[in-house]
Amino acid sequence: MFKNYLKVAFRALRQNKSFSGLNILGLSLGISCSVLIFLWVQDERGVDGFHAHKSGLFVLYERQVSPSTVDADYENPALLGDELKKTIPEVGAAVTIDGDDDFTFRGNDKTIKAKGGYAGADFFRMFSFPLLGGNAASALSGPADIAISNTLARKLFGSATAAMGQTVRRDLQNQWKNFTVKAVFDDMQANSSLQFEFLINWQAFYAEHTWMQRWDNSGPMTVVLLQPNADPARVAVKLRHFLDKYDTKPIPGYHVELGMQPFDEMYLHGNFKNGDLSGGRIEYVRLFTLVAIFLLLIACINYMNLTTARSLRRAREIGVRKVIGATKGSLIGQFLGEAVLLAILAMAIALIAVWLLLPAFNSITGKQILLPFTNGLFWLESAGLTLLIGCLAGSYPALYLSSFRPIAVLKSAMRTGMGAVLFRKGLVVFQFALSILLIIGTIVVTRQVTYIQTMNLGYDREALLSIPIEGDLVTQYAVFKQQALHVPGVQQVTCMSEPPTDIDNGTVSVEWAGKPTNFQPSFSYAVVGYDFMPTMKAQLLSGRDFSPAFPTDTTGFIINQEAAGLMGMRDPVGHELNMWDRKGKIIGVINNFHFGSVHDPIKPLILLFKHQIDDGHILVRTNPGQTAQALAGLEQLSRQLNPAFPFTYQFSDDAYQRLYKSETVIGTLSHYFAFLAILISCLGLLGLAIFTAEQRTKEIGIRKVLGASIASVLLLVSREFLALVGVAFLIATPLAWWGMHQWLQEFAYRTPVSWWIFPLAGAAALLIAVLTISWQTARAATANPIDSLRTE
């Protein structure tokens, strides 16, 4: 039986090459797009899932509760990890992690930069990062211990083995400190949210940042590993008010709570709203999972429409088979077999296409995805998906074709039922509704990404670059600035403790006259040098910038509009502030400018002045069109004043774009998938056009004999298809508006969903539909009526 089904299926393929080609093309396009998306989704969901102790790993977060707001983030007191191990029995291990910074290292007469930070002694016992040298228990056990990556070990010492026990020197504020390599770990795998080239023992961080030794300061991230039999829910209850007993100066109405989240969920569920976990990258994973399912459905609907469009060509074959004894079940098996065979061919083509497209796909998404050809589960999943697609795509054609009555078929008196016609039209409406959804979504996402990239940030990020303050630049900044201003192409120079796109320092230790006793807001802050305003091209609303003419500016403050509003000050200049026992006056008010992601509203900001910033960035603004000339001069100057360190820099515009990498990737992918969805849908519409033309062949012939023009016949055949697109538009519009409105809520600053987007998407779909069916309708309208009326 199976052999017979196979023969018939191959015969049908050979006899209808163009029809079979369209079916295979539609299915392979849908499958290849879906496989790419599923591989991406699988990679996203697999981030941090490789750790052996993942079921017991939890990251802690703070909820800062005040009468008016509840904020949350992953920053904790640096003392928290060690204290948890002492006081909560269920905590088997805890590690505090801080830093994702570039440091300069010297080893074996080589000087290089590497990115990393600090971690506690339990780190390698908790996380499953393979060690090529050393052991997990002693890798970070001492205050002078360092663990480095395999790549860093090879750069400095030639190999991981040679690096063990060697001394490396790290620069911090032009002071070199020696560390001993106690472990070499394999390079971070792509599916790890933690990415670093080195880790230094946490005790070194304490010595370098004494302010972290207080419970009222937060910054690092804390991760705990619970005991095997511990109940996470009970631990969460103990953690909630854990910090209360360490609050030496409680403020009425304000307190800090601790929460815990599985570590492997942080990557996808890392956003907070009103103090609670609320989405994150998981929204994009869910979105593209739906897109993959939609594309598969569209491809399967194509097969249904194209197959039923050719049903009249196979009607007599079915009639003959039934007359000689074929049962309905055997015919269903035959047609399902044909669909599965086409699905197998389509899957084979799709996998080849995916293999060819993966390098470009990885380039767009920043991934390192490979087709897991050696994984048996992958082949089982592919086989299951092929069978599902074949059965789904072939289900309706099999039931429809097997239901033909042999007498009607052999007498050429077969008529299509209204239910079958409505079902096929419904499928086309469904296809185009999904396609219009994707078109509208693509337009909105593109507009939002463009809005983000071109919006006024409150300062000019073009031609603005930052140079790290390190080595001799710590003490030579004043000389560097003076000489840099004479470099051709350099317009302004200043310094700043944080890059302007990432000011993440915060404090609640701010006092002012009239402050309510139960009011404890958080302020962002940064330290800046002279000429900050002209270098940033930020707008000063009142007061003045820091100036050498005013020696008291060493205790002065500049605040932004948001801070002034929060303090309830209409004219803040001259008012006194007390910040960490630093008393001074507000000398200026700067306009609100974005110093973080536009996902979040602008926070209140306080700028402090310092003559010499030991750890920060030199900001340089170049003249338009002279950036290359300025960079050459700055590099030469840096080599003269800071010869031991390589000249490195980054443009503020590039740093800003990296904040929205996910949105840019989603926008790019949505373009491609929307185009492919329309392409596949057009194949389905073409199938329905072929079917309708075959059904109405004699009607068209009679109309032409009676004098109907070609234009009137074209309109007759086309209008019902255009009506289907119109119905699809009416269905898709409210769904698209709701979906895009929900997505845009993730941004504090967003583009409006303009009304013209919807008719534009509908017009685009309508135009594409007209172009798709024009060939077939023109063919039917221009056919010789004699041939149409001839009785077979």
Side-chain angles (χ1 to χ4, degrees):
M1 180 69 72
F2 178 77
K3 185 177 180 181
N4 181 56
Y5 287 163
L6 203 60
K7 285 183 178 180
V8 173
F10 274 113
R11 188 182 302 125
L13 287 176
R14 288 197 305 270
Q15 291 176 350
N16 304 284
K17 293 183 179 65
S18 58
F19 154 74
S20 300
L22 282 176
N23 264 333
I24 293 173
L25 175 62
L27 285 175
S28 59
L29 282 175
I31 293 172
S32 58
C33 291
S34 300
V35 169
L36 281 173
I37 293 174
F38 286 142
L39 288 172
W40 178 80
V41 167
Q42 186 178 40
D43 187 87
E44 288 284 281
R45 289 189 175 276
V47 171
D48 293 327
F50 61 91
H51 297 295
H53 303 300
K54 68 176 182 179
S55 61
L57 281 175
F58 291 86
V59 61
L60 305 187
Y61 59 89
E62 280 191 7
R63 300 178 74 245
Q64 299 93 30
V65 182
S66 67
S68 57
T69 61
V70 182
D71 296 321
D73 55 49
Y74 291 108
E75 296 182 353
N76 311 132
L79 301 167
L80 181 60
D82 290 337
E83 193 69 12
L84 289 174
K85 289 192 290 184
K86 297 175 184 177
T87 56
I88 298 183
E90 291 92 338
V91 175
V95 64
T96 309
I97 307 169
D98 188 89
D100 182 21
D101 301 317
D102 286 323
F103 285 97
T104 301
F105 286 91
R106 286 179 180 171
N108 201 21
D109 297 325
K110 297 177 182 176
T111 302
I112 61 173
K113 281 187 173 292
K115 185 180 289 292
Y118 305 84
D122 290 337
F123 183 85
F124 288 103
R125 294 200 299 113
M126 295 170 59
F127 296 97
S128 301
F129 296 114
L131 294 180
L132 305 179
N135 62 77
S138 62
L140 294 171
S141 58
D145 291 346
I146 185 173
I148 63 176
S149 70
N150 185 35
T151 296
L152 186 55
R154 285 189 284 107
K155 288 180 179 178
L156 289 174
F157 304 105
S159 69
T161 303
M164 289 298 299
Q166 295 287 346
T167 297
V168 294
R169 305 180 69 202
R170 189 213 58 190
D171 170 72
L172 182 66
Q173 300 175 12
N174 203 26
Q175 295 180 2
W176 293 92
K177 185 175 180 180
N178 293 339
F179 292 91
T180 303
V181 178
K182 297 296 290 293
V184 177
F185 54 85
D186 204 0
D187 294 340
M188 293 291 98
Q189 50 200 85
N191 62 341
S192 171
S193 63
L194 298 175
Q195 295 289 327
F196 47 83
E197 295 177 273
F198 70 88
L199 282 175
I200 296 172
N201 177 271
W202 182 250
Q203 296 302 319
F205 187 84
Y206 280 135
E208 297 161 5
H209 304 83
T210 55
W211 56 272
M212 273 294 178
Q213 299 177 23
R214 294 171 47 181
W215 281 99
D216 57 350
N217 285 327
S218 295
M221 179 176 69
T222 305
V223 183
V224 298
L225 175 63
L226 301 186
Q227 299 284 7
N229 297 324
D231 180 3
R234 294 186 63 183
V235 177
V237 172
K238 292 183 178 182
L239 283 174
R240 184 170 185 178
H241 296 288
F242 183 83
L243 294 177
D244 290 353
K245 56 186 175 182
Y246 302 97
D247 188 359
T248 57
K249 297 180 180 179
I251 300 169
Y254 175 84
H255 67 280
V256 178
E257 299 174 352
L258 286 179
M260 55 188 286
Q261 176 189 20
F263 180 79
D264 60 346
E265 293 183 7
M266 181 177 64
Y267 175 76
L268 291 179
H269 303 265
N271 288 357
F272 294 94
K273 188 174 184 179
N274 298 324
D276 296 317
L277 289 164
S278 177
R281 291 178 65 89
I282 188 63
E283 303 300 335
Y284 295 127
V285 170
R286 291 169 180 164
L287 172 66
F288 274 97
T289 299
L290 283 177
V291 170
I293 294 172
F294 287 168
L295 289 171
L296 281 178
L297 286 176
I298 291 172
C300 291
I301 289 170
N302 269 0
Y303 181 88
M304 296 177 186
N305 276 332
L306 287 169
T307 301
T308 52
R310 305 290 296 183
S311 60
L312 294 179
R313 298 291 179 91
R314 301 192 66 178
R316 290 190 177 180
E317 173 196 340
I318 296 166
V320 171
R321 286 180 177 275
K322 281 196 169 185
V323 167
I324 62 177
T327 64
K328 184 174 182 178
S330 65
L331 289 172
I332 290 175
Q334 174 189 328
F335 293 121
L336 283 177
E338 291 182 15
V340 171
L341 176 62
L342 280 175
I344 292 172
L345 294 175
M347 177 61 79
I349 296 172
L351 290 179
I352 294 172
V354 168
W355 179 68
L356 294 173
L357 291 172
L358 264 179
F361 185 79
N362 285 334
S363 177
I364 293 172
T365 59
K367 294 285 188 180
Q368 298 177 17
I369 300 172
L370 298 174
L371 269 176
F373 287 122
T374 59
N375 189 335
L377 180 61
F378 169 75
W379 291 109
L380 286 176
E381 291 173 344
S382 299
L385 181 62
T386 303
L387 186 62
L388 176 64
I389 292 170
C391 292
L392 180 62
S395 58
Y396 175 70
L399 293 172
Y400 174 72
L401 295 174
S402 63
S403 65
F404 286 173
R405 295 172 55 198
I407 296 177
V409 169
L410 296 176
K411 286 184 175 181
S412 298
M414 188 186 71
R415 294 290 182 269
T416 303
M418 182 58 66
V421 173
L422 291 176
F423 182 76
R424 282 191 297 274
K425 290 182 178 180
L427 293 179
V428 172
V429 169
F430 181 68
Q431 278 184 310
F432 268 87
L434 295 180
S435 299
I436 292 171
L437 270 171
L438 286 174
I439 292 175
I440 294 173
T442 298
I443 295 173
V444 173
V445 170
T446 301
R447 277 170 53 84
Q448 177 63 16
V449 172
T450 303
Y451 175 76
I452 290 171
Q453 293 173 339
T454 59
M455 69 182 292
N456 182 7
L457 299 181
Y459 69 94
D460 186 359
R461 67 177 186 268
E462 299 292 335
L464 182 66
L465 61 95
S466 64
I467 302 168
I469 298 176
E470 58 186 351
D472 291 335
L473 289 182
V474 173
T475 56
Q476 294 289 319
Y477 165 70
V479 177
F480 180 91
K481 177 180 178 179
Q482 182 182 15
Q483 296 188 22
L485 289 172
H486 294 91
V487 171
V490 172
Q491 187 180 115
Q492 291 286 350
V493 180
T494 190
C495 60
M496 191 175 186
S497 60
E498 309 288 328
T501 55
D502 187 24
I503 302 177
D504 60 355
N505 292 325
T507 182
V508 295
S509 300
V510 181
E511 303 294 332
W512 64 93
K515 177 184 177 182
T517 56
N518 61 345
F519 187 46
Q520 198 72 7
S522 176
F523 292 82
S524 297
Y525 67 89
V527 181
V528 301
Y530 290 129
D531 300 319
F532 177 76
M533 296 293 177
T535 304
M536 291 283 289
K537 289 192 175 180
Q539 183 182 0
L540 191 65
L541 302 179
S542 61
R544 59 178 176 80
D545 194 0
F546 295 114
S547 169
F550 297 88
T552 56
D553 281 359
T554 54
T555 59
F557 303 95
I558 294 176
I559 64 174
N560 68 350
Q561 292 170 277
E562 190 69 22
L566 192 66
M567 296 176 186
M569 299 179 183
R570 289 193 174 184
D571 186 13
V573 176
H575 284 255
E576 290 189 353
L577 287 186
N578 186 347
M579 183 174 175
W580 309 318
D581 296 325
R582 168 177 169 160
K583 296 181 180 180
K585 291 185 178 181
I586 299 173
I587 67 168
V589 179
I590 189 176
N591 68 313
N592 286 337
F593 69 91
H594 291 274
F595 50 86
S597 170
V598 297
H599 285 279
D600 305 313
I602 294 176
K603 298 178 181 179
L605 175 68
I606 298 176
L607 298 178
L608 302 84
F609 171 77
K610 195 173 181 181
H611 284 286
Q612 186 69 46
I613 296 178
D614 298 331
D615 184 18
H617 304 266
I618 299 173
L619 301 183
V620 179
R621 178 166 298 283
T622 62
N623 292 319
Q626 294 183 295
T627 300
Q629 185 180 8
L631 283 173
L634 290 171
E635 181 175 9
Q636 183 177 0
L637 178 59
S638 178
R639 287 178 177 174
Q640 292 173 4
L641 299 178
N642 196 25
F645 289 78
F647 175 69
T648 58
Y649 64 92
Q650 75 168 350
F651 286 102
S652 180
D653 192 51
D654 292 339
Y656 179 78
Q657 298 295 341
R658 284 195 292 272
L659 292 175
Y660 310 101
K661 182 180 178 181
S662 294
E663 286 74 21
T664 304
V665 168
I666 296 303
T668 303
L669 292 179
S670 63
H671 279 86
Y672 292 121
F673 292 139
F675 170 77
L676 291 170
I678 283 289
L679 177 61
I680 300 171
S681 296
C682 288
L683 294 177
L685 188 62
L686 178 62
L688 190 59
I690 294 172
F691 178 83
T692 302
E694 289 186 350
Q695 287 286 86
R696 304 181 70 171
T697 299
K698 289 190 176 181
E699 176 192 348
I700 293 171
I702 292 172
R703 287 179 179 273
K704 293 190 69 175
V705 168
L706 295 177
S709 64
I710 293 177
S712 64
V713 174
L714 283 172
L715 180 62
L716 172 72
V717 178
S718 301
R719 64 186 178 187
E720 66 176 286
F721 301 124
L722 304 184
L724 295 179
V725 177
V727 172
F729 171 75
L730 294 177
I731 294 172
T733 296
L735 294 175
W737 180 88
W738 178 83
M740 290 298 96
H741 179 75
Q742 292 298 114
W743 179 71
L744 286 171
Q745 295 308 304
E746 298 295 322
F747 297 87
Y749 304 90
R750 48 189 176 267
T751 184
V753 183
S754 303
W755 66 268
W756 57 263
I757 294 174
F758 302 98
L760 176 64
L766 193 65
L767 177 62
I768 293 169
V770 169
L771 294 175
T772 300
I773 62 178
S774 59
W775 172 77
Q776 182 61 34
T777 53
R779 183 181 176 188
T782 56
N784 191 330
I786 297 176
D787 296 331
S788 304
L789 298 173
R790 182 181 292 121
T791 303
E792 295 184 3

